[in-house]
Amino acid sequence: LVENNDIGYNLMDGLVVTWQSRDVTVRHNCMHHHVLWGHPDNMQVYRDVTGLRIEENLLLCGGQSIMMEETEDGVIRGNTFIGSGANMVILGHGNSNRYAISRNTFALPGYSCMSLSGDEYDITDNICFAGQGSCVYGVRGVEGYHGDRNLLYHSDRCESAQVMSTDTGWHRDFDVARKSTGQDADSLYAAPQLVNAPVASGVIDSGHLADCTRETIYVRGGTELFLQGDIVEVNYDGVARRVTKIEDATITLDPPLPERPMSSSLIAVWGDNEDLRLDLRPSKSSPARTMSQAATAIGSTIDVQAYLQGDFNGDGHRDRRATPKEVE
C-alpha cells in the first residue's frame, strides 16, 4: 500500500511500480511537477506488474501522468489527472492489458487523455477534457474495448478537433466514432463545465527552447488557442501571467518567467479568469452531474486544493507528514 504521500519536483519519475510487483494499491497521493530532466513522469509502471489499483490520487503537471508497460489486470479509478506534456495515461507497448478505468477526470494533456495499445479495457464514467485539438483517446487496434457514460470534450476554442480514432479511421464526429465501435451509447461530447479550470492548454516547444526568453516563448503547434490579454499559468506554478503579444508561434508574457525555460513546460490558459485555484469537479450546471447509471455524477470527486495541502480524506486536517524544512 502506497498512501498519503506528497511526491513532487523529482528530477526523474515520481513513483515507480516495477519488476514483478503484485497486488499493489496506490491511493490518496499527490504526485506532481515531474517536468524537469530525463523525460520524467508522475508515475511509471513496467516489467511484469499485475493487480495494480491506482485509486483517488491527484496527478498534476508531469511529462506524462502514468507510463505503463508489461502490466495486466488493474484498476484506475477516481483519480484526477491535470496537465501533461505528452499523452496523459499511456497503457503502452502493446502489452498493458485488462484495465478497468472509471470515475476519473482527465484534463489538459499535451496530446491525448489516454493512449491505449493493449486489449480489454472497460472505460466508464470518466470526464476527458483535452483542452486542445488532439484525439481525446483512441481504440484503433484494441480488442475488447467497452466504454459508456463518458463525457468527452476539447475546448470552446477548438473549432474542429479529432475526437476518437477507431478501426475505421480518425473521427471528428463523435456519433460516427461510436457507431464504429458499437460502444458509448450513453456517452456525450459536450463541455464539462467544471467548477474552476483552464479553458485550454499548450506546451512550450522543446525544439525552440534556445529561442525562448523569459518574456517570449514558443508554443508547440502554434498559438491558435491563445488570445491577447489571456491569463496563463506556466507549469501550474500559481502565478497569473498575461499574454501581451501573439506573433506567429510565440506568446509574450507579463510578468516574465523567473528564468528562461530549460525544458518543455506546460501552459494552462485561463482566459480572463485570475483565480488559479484548480477545482475540476463538475459544477451544478454540468451534464456530468447526472450521467452515471444511477443518475449521479461521473468523474473524480477529488478536492484538488485539499490534496495540495496534504488533506486526502477531506476532514480539514493534513494526513501527510510535515514537509522537511530543507525541501520546504
Side-chain angles (χ1 to χ4, degrees):
L1 174 64
V2 182
E3 185 175 40
N4 290 358
N5 297 285
D6 182 281
I7 305 170
Y9 300 109
N10 296 290
L11 294 176
M12 293 295 288
D13 306 307
L15 174 66
V16 178
V17 181
T18 186
W19 292 110
Q20 298 181 323
S21 293
R22 299 287 185 266
D23 297 321
V24 176
T25 297
V26 178
R27 72 180 180 212
H28 297 165
N29 300 284
C30 181
M31 295 176 254
H32 60 100
H33 291 98
H34 295 96
V35 286
L36 299 174
W37 310 115
H39 198 287
D41 306 318
N42 280 326
M43 182 174 178
Q44 281 210 359
V45 180
Y46 58 90
R47 298 295 183 273
D48 186 18
V49 175
T50 61
L52 174 62
R53 295 169 296 278
I54 305 170
E55 299 176 325
E56 298 181 1
N57 302 279
L58 171 63
L59 292 92
L60 168 67
C61 190
Q64 296 162 150
S65 298
I66 308 177
M67 176 68 201
M68 308 179 82
E69 177 186 3
E70 293 182 1
T71 176
E72 295 182 330
D73 301 309
V75 171
I76 303 173
R77 179 170 54 219
N79 307 280
T80 296
F81 303 94
I82 308 172
S84 66
N87 293 309
M88 184 158 269
V89 175
I90 302 177
L91 291 103
H93 298 269
N95 53 25
S96 300
N97 305 308
R98 296 189 299 279
Y99 266 78
I101 303 171
S102 66
R103 294 193 294 106
N104 303 284
T105 295
F106 303 87
L108 308 165
Y111 296 125
S112 68
C113 292
M114 286 179 281
S115 177
L116 308 173
S117 69
D119 296 318
E120 296 185 48
Y121 302 118
D122 187 45
I123 301 176
T124 58
D125 299 302
N126 301 284
I127 296 172
C128 299
F129 172 40
Q132 37 72 32
S134 295
C135 183
V136 177
Y137 67 88
V139 295
R140 194 178 185 88
V142 173
E143 294 184 6
Y145 165 65
H146 171 257
D148 204 10
R149 301 183 304 279
N150 299 300
L151 180 64
L152 282 61
Y153 197 60
H154 286 91
S155 169
D156 290 343
R157 296 189 177 185
C158 291
E159 294 184 359
S160 180
Q162 299 280 1
V163 181
M164 182 181 284
S165 64
T166 74
D167 288 341
T168 62
W170 294 76
H171 306 291
R172 299 182 187 276
D173 188 322
F174 185 49
D175 287 335
V176 173
R178 58 185 170 188
K179 287 178 182 176
S180 171
T181 63
Q183 298 293 319
D184 290 292
D186 296 308
S187 296
L188 291 177
Y189 183 82
Q193 300 181 50
L194 306 174
V195 173
N196 197 47
V199 298
S201 65
V203 179
I204 293 180
D205 190 346
S206 60
H208 283 279
L209 286 175
D211 303 315
C212 294
T213 68
R214 291 175 57 219
E215 295 84 6
T216 300
I217 55 178
Y218 280 77
V219 180
R220 187 178 72 197
T223 58
E224 64 178 357
L225 299 178
F226 295 79
L227 299 175
Q228 187 165 329
D230 273 343
I231 297 294
V232 300
E233 184 183 12
V234 178
N235 273 350
Y236 296 89
D237 62 359
V239 178
R241 294 182 165 85
R242 193 166 302 273
V243 177
T244 60
K245 183 179 179 181
I246 299 175
E247 186 175 24
D248 298 326
T250 68
I251 59 175
T252 300
L253 305 179
D254 181 41
L257 297 170
E259 58 186 18
R260 185 165 62 86
M262 298 296 289
S263 61
S264 188
S265 306
L266 313 185
I267 310 168
V269 185
W270 286 90
D272 59 3
N273 183 7
E274 297 186 37
D275 180 0
L276 309 186
R277 292 172 296 178
L278 291 158
D279 188 342
L280 271 66
R281 293 170 293 190
S283 68
K284 291 182 180 179
S285 59
S286 171
R289 290 290 290 264
T290 57
M291 280 186 62
S292 78
Q293 194 168 25
T296 56
I298 63 169
S300 173
T301 61
I302 282 177
D303 182 336
V304 173
Q305 298 306 309
Y307 267 58
L308 290 173
Q309 297 301 315
D311 176 11
F312 301 115
N313 60 10
D315 65 357
H317 300 284
R318 186 166 64 184
D319 300 299
R320 65 171 171 83
R321 297 187 182 193
T323 304
K325 289 183 179 179
E326 60 269 24
V327 296
E328 214 165 38

